[in-house]
């Protein structure tokens, strides 16, 4: 199937989804999920008043970009931002015309289920300021935060924390190492008038999490530990754990394939008895049942038990092969 045909088919398949999104005050979603829908490494999203095209493997030809533009404009005429990330560790390569560049680099406001989020399609980082496939996580947290305390780890721009505050949380603590991401998170809280509920801690996740869990802060062998914010041991009603695939710091190594438990154990210890921890793993080759089994074993080794398990599945704008999406999200209630 040609690119034109694949994109047209994807848009037609989403006709009912587009209607529901409008009714639910949502103007940010995936329009074309290339890996599954016929063009590996090509994603097309709507972010508010713009279409965002991203390529991760192969740069689009002028002809392909023209074809995509015509199809998108026939559906809804919006500015089209093309971020080519096919080279150099996913950094954006291509230049835009001046008017589109000004638009891409300026702050916009998008909506998801009526929640407002700041958006900037080109900025000092690599990714858009809201990960659209995590919509199901934000919906779950919003629906399950009334009267609860919430800890949002690896918070990025604090979409989970914002959703928790809107859902009635009494306290939403966001932890991330990036001052840029937390600044966007503060903007999100302000946009939705929940700044009084949200807290923002700029810290490496390891020392923050270990202190909250009441554990000693250590580091990788031979590494001198930098300064970090001092935190008191605290347990939360709901903990959201969404780490990157792999990252190293003086305090430890994030490795979702070989050592998810290194983060899960202290995160579980910060979860109150009867509370919920939501775990995310975005590595495709990690098998979901084996991963879940390892989490349950870790809970049991601490003398606790899992009383309920709920899988959260991505929405239909993120189709997957055989309903086995690379992003796995599971909510565990722990006694």
């Amino acid at each position: 199937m040609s690119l034109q045909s694949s994109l047209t088919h994807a848009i037609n398949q989403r006709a009912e989804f587009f209607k529901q999104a409008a009714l639910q005050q949502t103007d940010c979603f995936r329009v074309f999920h290339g890996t599954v829908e016929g063009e590996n490494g090509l994603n097309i999203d709507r972010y508010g008043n713009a279409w965002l095209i991203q390529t991760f493997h192969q740069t689009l030809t002028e002809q392909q970009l023209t074809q995509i533009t015509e199809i998108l404009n026939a559906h809804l005429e919006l500015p089209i931002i093309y971020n080519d990330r096919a080279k150099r560790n996913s950094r954006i390569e291509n230049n835009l015309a001046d008017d589109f560049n000004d638009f891409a680099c300026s702050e916009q406001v998008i909506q998801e289920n009526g929640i407002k989020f700041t958006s900037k399609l080109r900025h000092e980082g690599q990714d858009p300021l809201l990960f659209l496939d995590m919509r199901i996580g934000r919906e779950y947290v919003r629906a399950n935060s009334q009267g609860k305390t919430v800890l949002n780890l690896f918070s990025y721009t604090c979409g989970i924390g914002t959703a928790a505050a809107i859902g009635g949380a009494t306290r939403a603590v966001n932890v991330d190492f990036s001052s840029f991401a937390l600044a966007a998170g503060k903007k999100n809280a302000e946009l939705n008038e929940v700044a009084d509920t949200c807290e923002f801690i700029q810290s490496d996740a390891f020392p923050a999490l270990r202190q909250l869990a009441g554990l000693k802060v250590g580091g990788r062998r031979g590494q001198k530990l930098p300064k970090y914010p001092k935190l008191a041991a605290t347990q939360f009603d709901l903990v959201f754990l969404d780490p990157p695939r792999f990252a190293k710091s003086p305090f430890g190594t994030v490795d979702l394939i070989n050592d998810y438990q290194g983060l899960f154990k202290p995160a579980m210890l910060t979860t109150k008895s009867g509370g919920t921890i939501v775990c995310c793993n975005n590595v495709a080759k990690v098998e979901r049942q084996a991963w879940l089994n390892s989490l349950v074993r870790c809970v049991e080794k601490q003398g606790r038990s899992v009383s309920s398990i709920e899988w959260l599945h991505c929405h239909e704008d993120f189709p997957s092969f055989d309903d086995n999406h690379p992003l796995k999200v599971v909510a565990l209630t722990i006694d």
Side-chain angles (χ1 to χ4, degrees), residues 228-282:
Y228 54 88
K230 301 303 187 285
L231 305 172
T234 310
Q235 287 193 315
F236 295 81
D237 297 300
L238 194 158
V239 174
F240 201 93
L241 179 61
D242 183 18
R245 176 180 179 135
F246 187 86
K248 277 187 176 182
S249 82
F251 297 98
T253 301
V254 177
D255 185 346
L256 301 201
I257 298 175
N258 300 305
D259 190 23
Y260 196 97
Q261 290 79 1
L263 289 168
F264 176 72
K265 177 183 173 181
M268 181 257 297
L269 293 176
T270 68
T271 308
K272 291 180 180 179
S273 179
T276 300
I277 179 168
V278 181
C279 302
C280 309
N281 192 318
N282 59 20

Side-chain angles (χ1 to χ4, degrees), residues 267-298:
M268 181 257 297
L269 293 176
T270 68
T271 308
K272 291 180 180 179
S273 179
T276 300
I277 179 168
V278 181
C279 302
C280 309
N281 192 318
N282 59 20
V283 180
K285 72 179 188 178
V286 171
E287 199 276 320
R288 65 178 54 230
Q289 191 59 48
W291 176 59
L292 173 61
N293 292 343
S294 72
L295 300 180
V296 173
R297 283 195 302 272
C298 187

Side-chain angles (χ1 to χ4, degrees), residues 71-252:
I71 294 169
L72 293 177
N73 281 340
H75 178 69
L76 180 64
E77 196 162 337
L78 296 171
I80 293 177
I81 308 302
Y82 172 35
N83 290 347
D84 180 20
R85 301 171 58 181
K87 302 174 185 176
R88 295 187 187 176
N89 298 317
S90 217
R91 294 290 176 184
I92 297 166
E93 284 282 301
N94 59 309
N95 295 320
L96 297 170
D98 287 345
D99 52 344
F100 276 22
N101 186 66
D102 290 344
F103 178 90
C105 295
S106 64
E107 282 194 2
Q108 310 292 325
V109 176
I110 60 179
Q111 280 198 108
E112 178 186 87
N113 296 313
I115 302 177
K116 297 173 183 176
F117 294 102
T118 187
S119 173
K120 189 182 288 187
L121 299 181
R122 286 199 173 184
H123 55 82
E124 66 184 58
Q126 299 184 78
D127 296 304
L129 298 184
L130 190 71
F131 289 113
L132 304 183
D133 57 349
M134 193 49 76
R135 183 162 67 251
I136 186 63
R138 292 184 287 271
E139 289 173 346
Y140 176 88
V141 169
R142 180 180 185 177
N144 291 278
S145 291
Q146 181 66 46
K148 296 180 180 179
T149 56
V150 177
L151 174 62
N152 179 24
L153 297 160
F154 300 96
S155 65
Y156 191 44
T157 57
C158 313
I160 293 293
T162 303
I166 288 174
T170 58
R171 184 187 186 196
V173 178
N174 302 279
V175 179
D176 200 275
F177 188 71
S178 167
S179 60
F180 170 79
L182 291 177
K186 291 176 183 177
K187 179 75 172 180
N188 289 334
E190 291 165 1
L191 284 170
N192 294 281
E193 300 180 350
V194 292
D196 290 345
T197 304
C198 295
E199 300 172 35
F200 306 91
I201 299 173
Q202 184 183 355
S203 174
D204 184 293
F206 279 105
L209 190 47
R210 292 188 68 81
Q211 289 179 94
L212 292 170
L215 300 173
K216 182 180 178 181
V217 175
R220 292 166 54 216
R221 183 176 297 177
Q223 294 278 324
K224 182 180 179 182
L225 298 184
K227 292 182 179 179
Y228 54 88
K230 301 303 187 285
L231 305 172
T234 310
Q235 287 193 315
F236 295 81
D237 297 300
L238 194 158
V239 174
F240 201 93
L241 179 61
D242 183 18
R245 176 180 179 135
F246 187 86
K248 277 187 176 182
S249 82
F251 297 98

